[in-house]
Amino acid sequence: VSKHKLWPEIERVTMEQLHYARLDVGGAGGWQLFAEDGDMRMYRREEEADGLVVDPLKACHVVKGVTGREVCNIFFSPEYRAGWEATLDDMTVVETISSDTLVFLQTHKRIWPASQRDALFWSHRRSVSNTDDPDGSDLWIICNHSTEHPDYPANAGKCVRVYLTVCLVCQTFVDPPKDPKNIRREDITCKITYCSVVNPGGWAPASVLRAVYKREYPKFLKRFTNFCIEQCKDKPIVF
Ligand SMILES: O=S(=O)(CCO)c1ccc(-c2ccc(C3CCCC3)c([C@@H]3C[C@@H]3c3ccccn3)c2)cc1
């Protein structure tokens, strides 16, 4: 994989997104809290590019009973996606770069009055050893970043191509600390940070998009994390 032409970009964007995900939302970064649900906090910044809404989103969540590796495996794996991604119309893996790097083509359900969107992106799974927090485990990260592919040119069919960069960063905590072979699911907690920037790629009214973001993102993260809990609860813990 290190000799694949995309590898330098995959390495750079993944590590940039890891840094970005770890930045605090409290400071002056202009983040506004727009949704709360239990332990989930969702923040956004209002930003436009060429008159299009591209509001960056950052969500912080804490989920009991699953590990960061389990959550990232479910987010990354194509076979689970239809089970949690409600806005998906169609999904194909157009290229397998490595066991940890896939290229997806997805069409999302149309959001009236905008035209239907599709997304072509590489998806990379990586574990990073934990440097700062002694209690926390290693980090697991998934980074999704739009890319091009000669067989799937943008805006060739009915769909408008969106441009996205997404990352999911997970860290596992065991409380109370125990001998690994005695840990039960009620002793583990997963701290999740989800960041996304989606450029709609073509005209979509700002008011409609902001309403969609406000409605869809909280639903999306809640549905995804509940899916992970259901998927893992009767299986051996994967650290
Ligand atoms: O985290 S992922 O990589 C998971 C893999 O699927 C991902 C998440 C979200 C998107 C996405 C693509 C298009 C659109 C819009 C833009 C204009 C018209 C459609 C949206 C809008 C924000 C709303 C939205 C938010 C959350 C979930 C679905 N929909 C989101 C794509 C990928």
Side-chain angles (χ1 to χ4, degrees), residues 87-92 105-109 116 118-119:
T87 69
L88 217 50
D89 232 2
D90 189 42
M91 176 209 74
T92 22
L105 175 65
Q106 299 190 160
T107 54
H108 286 258
K109 289 191 174 15
Q116 187 167 29
D118 68 8

Side-chain angles (χ1 to χ4, degrees), residues 75 85 87 106 108 144 164 166 194 209 213 216-217 220:
F75 189 76
E85 181 40 300
T87 69
Q106 299 190 160
H108 286 258
N144 294 346
L164 59 86
V166 164
Y194 174 85
L209 268 190
Y213 283 28
E216 289 295 333
Y217 271 115
F220 164 84

